[in-house]
Amino acid sequence: MNRIKKIIAITFVFVLIFTNISFAESKIKWDEEIIYFILTDRFFDGDKSNNELYGKDSYDLNHLEAYHGGDFQGIIDKVSYLRELGITTLWITPVVKNIETNMRKDINDKQYGYHGYWAEDFTKIDPHLGNEEKLMELVDVLADNGIKLMVDVVLNHAGYGMNNEKQFNDMFRKNPDKSEVKGELAGLPDFKTEEREVRDKLIKWQSYWANKISPKGNKIAYFRVDTVKHVDKDTWKDFKSKIIELNPNFKMIGEVFDANITKTGGYLDDSMMDSLLDFDFKNVAYSFSKGNFEDVNRKLKFRNSKINENITMGQFLSSHDENGFLKMKLNNDVNLFKPVVSLQLTTKGQPVIYYGEEIGMSGKKDDFTNGVYSENRESFKWDKVKDNKLTDHYKKMIEIRKMQKDVFSKGGREMVYSDKNVYVFERKFGDKSIITFLNKSNENQNIEIDNKFNSMNLVNLYSREEIKAGKTIKVNVPKNEAGGTVVLIDKNYVPKDFKVKKHYSSIIYIFFVFNILLISFIIFLIIKKKNKN
């Protein structure tokens, strides 16, 4: 029996060696994170019992400003989707208790705090989402699937109508002005954060969530910080200091509205924010869609030079506060959107994907004066997931970025070639080089460039095909409908567990495995015969 076990074990080892299977995945660092942002209420309803806590009218799937039922349990139920998509960090909207008031009741309409930014109590979980135990279960489930949790926090304001509530006694401005720090944002009660007592209380409330430990020993990994430029810098320094005291590895990405790499407001500093959301990237992406490749490369190369593994930027195309890029910039041209997504996922910085973008969801931001509700905050359309080619494109590009994360998160950038349809650029880190071809047109494009690699054996990571090169590299870049993307790398830098297509590989594989099994069976029969004798 022991001999039989040894034969089986040896056979298994041979198959593993041949197929180059790898079970290990290296740890993702801060600048390598791929962030997926959801409005929790709009993702998935996993617990029907918490839907109508403020009355039946508060829960209305047909109204964009009412509750839609999404909760922590819903994320837990759909964690396999997030894992298969490949993202490394999940950013969720604020988790604290929000006001119960319908802010448009007086005009016979609806507008509730489903989004989480109108706090009533910073020490409690909003019951629509679940409770503290469920939040910690979510942290553990995500961790089990290789995903960190980022929670949105607000220190600038509370919800409407909170001015005279005892938990906020003497914390709000009585005479706000029109400045960024001492003014009221959209009429929301503004905290006097420059006063030590007010600041300390807010920091205590929010740092509690960063220090909460799950049953499996996990914690919330990151904060996304709301309305950064509307709070004084001393508050952010004290907040960061307290968070680091609790967890030295904790990081924060801030929302400085309209920020870009040259316009950070001084907040992009390791004493405050470790990253900022890049509001300019969508403009660069739009410029790419119009074929302004030299301008795109110039801006991204400059941006590239200003960020590093500790101080970075999060590039996004759409958000809960912005018009959907696909609808408003590309007129719902999903095919053109694919190479735009490739640009986002091959750019230095932290890609931030807004929920639903990967299935083609996109809409206008709210404009109540003109009767437009938050079309960019629809419930996730789960019926669009299956056999979605755009989703497949996202999965491919995320896999490629994770596989070559050192180059994409740290490497330099140089333009190699461009014409009216195709943009070719090199990302290089150390001796490793990756050349990406992006085709925005609806036709395949044949491109020939000088071979910048120290190899003739290349792999197109997007199509998983080998390419033989000489002094030049000839590439047929697929049309945008087919992804519009080619990602070339020296074959020596391709992980052994990444399956590359070969015309003959499947035949050899079957022949090899068959022979291994046949030899094992023959050995087994010989041993069995000897034992009988």
Side-chain angles (χ1 to χ4, degrees):
M1 181 60 72
N2 288 332
R3 289 179 179 176
I4 294 172
K5 288 181 179 178
K6 285 182 180 179
I7 292 167
I8 294 171
I10 291 170
T11 302
F12 182 65
V13 169
F14 265 96
V15 173
L16 284 183
I17 291 171
F18 183 77
T19 56
N20 293 316
I21 294 174
S22 172
F23 295 103
E25 184 174 335
S26 58
K27 190 175 181 180
I28 299 292
K29 298 176 182 177
W30 170 243
D31 64 323
E32 298 167 348
E33 298 289 0
I34 301 171
I35 303 166
Y36 187 79
F37 171 35
I38 66 171
L39 269 75
T40 307
D41 179 70
R42 302 301 161 95
F43 193 59
F44 187 70
D45 186 357
D47 182 0
K48 304 290 184 184
S49 69
N50 58 28
N51 289 353
E52 299 179 355
L53 298 178
Y54 302 156
K56 290 186 177 181
D57 287 343
S58 65
Y59 172 73
D60 187 349
L61 293 176
N62 295 315
H63 200 297
L64 288 169
E65 306 304 326
Y67 286 94
H68 285 198
D71 44 36
F72 298 149
Q73 185 60 54
I75 302 172
I76 291 170
D77 291 347
K78 293 295 185 180
V79 73
S80 61
Y81 173 78
L82 299 173
R83 182 187 67 247
E84 290 166 10
L85 186 59
I87 56 104
T88 63
T89 290
L90 177 68
W91 157 19
I92 62 174
T93 38
V95 300
V96 299
K97 173 73 169 63
N98 266 231
I99 63 172
E100 302 179 12
T101 311
N102 175 5
M103 295 304 298
R104 292 170 70 85
K105 185 177 181 180
D106 59 335
I107 57 172
N108 197 31
D109 201 355
K110 298 178 184 180
Q111 188 182 20
Y112 289 92
Y114 64 87
H115 42 69
Y117 295 96
W118 296 345
E120 175 183 292
D121 190 337
F122 288 94
T123 69
K124 296 178 181 177
I125 293 291
D126 194 282
H128 286 94
L129 304 178
N131 53 35
E132 285 193 32
E133 290 73 23
K134 188 59 68 174
L135 175 62
M136 289 298 103
E137 181 185 346
L138 173 61
V139 171
D140 280 338
V141 170
L142 289 172
D144 289 344
N145 286 273
I147 302 170
K148 302 183 186 78
L149 182 63
M150 174 186 286
V151 172
D152 212 319
V153 295
V154 183
L155 278 76
N156 173 67
H157 60 266
Y160 293 110
M162 292 293 103
N163 301 68
N164 298 315
E165 295 299 315
K166 62 181 181 179
Q167 67 267 33
F168 300 125
N169 183 42
D170 200 30
M171 293 183 70
F172 297 122
R173 303 184 194 284
K174 293 181 180 178
N175 297 297
D177 58 28
K178 294 184 179 180
S179 67
E180 286 185 335
V181 172
K182 296 185 178 181
E184 286 187 338
L185 185 65
L188 291 160
D190 194 74
F191 287 118
K192 299 181 292 182
T193 53
E194 66 275 9
E195 293 185 8
R196 171 62 65 181
E197 187 176 346
V198 174
R199 178 192 307 168
D200 287 349
K201 188 174 287 189
L202 287 166
I203 290 173
K204 179 182 178 181
W205 287 341
Q206 295 290 22
S207 62
Y208 169 82
W209 303 111
N211 199 38
K212 186 101 175 130
I213 302 174
S214 74
K216 293 185 179 181
N218 297 304
K219 289 184 176 183
I220 293 167
Y222 308 132
F223 280 158
R224 179 270 189 182
V225 185
D226 189 61
T227 53
V228 169
K229 70 179 182 181
H230 299 285
V231 176
D232 63 284
K233 290 179 180 176
D234 286 339
T235 294
W236 294 132
K237 290 177 181 178
D238 285 357
F239 186 41
K240 180 67 176 295
S241 179
K242 180 61 178 179
I243 295 295
I244 293 301
E245 177 187 320
L246 298 173
N247 182 354
N249 296 317
F250 204 94
K251 301 288 186 181
M252 302 196 298
I253 183 171
E255 179 226 14
V256 177
F257 188 78
D258 210 27
N260 59 50
I261 196 59
T262 62
K263 188 176 164 185
T264 67
Y267 299 100
L268 188 57
D269 183 291
D270 59 7
S271 68
M272 290 179 278
M273 301 295 147
D274 305 287
S275 180
L276 294 181
L277 291 165
D278 188 348
F279 282 77
D280 190 49
F281 183 79
K282 60 183 179 294
N283 300 321
V284 175
Y286 180 66
S287 187
F288 165 82
S289 73
K290 293 298 182 181
N292 301 320
F293 302 138
E294 290 191 7
D295 182 57
V296 167
N297 196 75
R298 177 180 57 81
K299 288 181 177 178
L300 292 183
K301 183 177 179 179
F302 177 78
R303 179 183 185 272
N304 218 77
S305 69
K306 298 297 181 181
I307 58 180
N308 57 54
E309 58 189 279
N310 296 313
I311 300 298
T312 188
M313 300 286 285
Q315 61 263 21
F316 68 94
L317 296 170
S318 309
S319 79
H320 61 323
D321 289 329
E322 301 277 312
N323 284 318
F325 186 91
L326 175 58
K327 179 174 182 176
M328 302 306 294
K329 293 291 188 180
L330 301 185
N331 196 29
N332 284 323
D333 187 341
V334 174
N335 294 333
L336 180 54
F337 190 53
K338 290 174 185 176
V340 169
V341 169
S342 294
L343 181 72
Q344 180 191 22
L345 286 164
T346 53
T347 293
K348 188 176 182 180
Q350 299 162 313
V352 180
I353 302 164
Y354 186 49
Y355 80 100
E357 277 186 313
E358 76 280 9
I359 59 172
M361 288 178 59
S362 189
K364 290 183 180 180
K365 72 180 296 292
D366 65 85
D367 181 4
F368 294 122
T369 57
N370 290 309
V372 178
Y373 295 126
S374 302
E375 295 175 3
N376 59 341
R377 301 182 181 183
E378 290 185 306
S379 288
F380 192 95
K381 298 178 179 179
W382 290 101
D383 60 337
K384 285 192 171 186
V385 170
K386 188 177 180 181
D387 299 325
N388 191 306
K389 292 182 179 179
L390 179 58
T391 309
D392 292 339
H393 179 73
Y394 267 91
K395 288 180 179 179
K396 281 185 182 181
M397 292 309 302
I398 290 172
E399 180 186 23
I400 291 169
R401 185 179 180 96
K402 288 167 69 177
M403 181 199 314
Q404 304 295 340
K405 55 186 181 291
D406 54 348
V407 176
F408 290 122
S409 64
K410 299 174 178 64
R413 185 185 196 98
E414 295 291 343
M415 187 161 76
V416 175
Y417 170 89
S418 71
D419 59 29
K420 65 178 182 179
N421 294 312
V422 178
Y423 170 42
V424 184
F425 57 93
E426 179 185 30
R427 300 292 316 280
K428 188 173 184 179
F429 183 68
D431 293 331
K432 192 195 294 188
S433 176
I434 295 176
I435 297 180
T436 301
F437 299 67
L438 300 180
N439 176 14
K440 78 180 192 67
S441 76
N442 57 9
E443 295 181 354
N444 294 350
Q445 301 289 328
N446 291 311
I447 305 296
E448 184 174 3
I449 62 170
D450 290 337
N451 187 354
K452 297 172 70 69
F453 296 97
N454 294 320
S455 175
M456 303 297 180
N457 300 311
L458 310 178
V459 172
N460 176 5
L461 297 176
Y462 190 83
S463 66
R464 294 176 174 260
E465 294 175 325
E466 286 192 15
I467 291 180
K468 294 294 182 181
K471 290 183 178 180
T472 63
I473 305 169
K474 296 179 180 179
V475 177
N476 182 260
V477 189
K479 58 186 178 181
N480 55 25
E481 182 182 4
T485 303
V486 169
V487 183
L488 290 187
I489 191 170
D490 183 335
K491 185 180 178 181
N492 291 318
Y493 290 114
V494 178
K496 292 181 179 180
D497 58 348
F498 185 77
K499 295 180 181 178
V500 178
K501 295 176 185 176
K502 292 181 180 179
H503 295 299
Y504 53 86
S505 60
S506 59
I507 298 172
I508 292 178
Y509 175 82
I510 293 169
F511 179 80
F512 184 90
V513 173
F514 174 80
N515 278 280
I516 289 292
L517 294 174
L518 180 61
I519 292 168
S520 299
F521 182 70
I522 292 170
I523 294 171
F524 169 74
L525 291 177
I526 292 171
I527 292 172
K528 187 175 180 182
K529 186 175 182 179
K530 284 184 177 181
N531 288 337
K532 283 184 177 181
N533 295 333

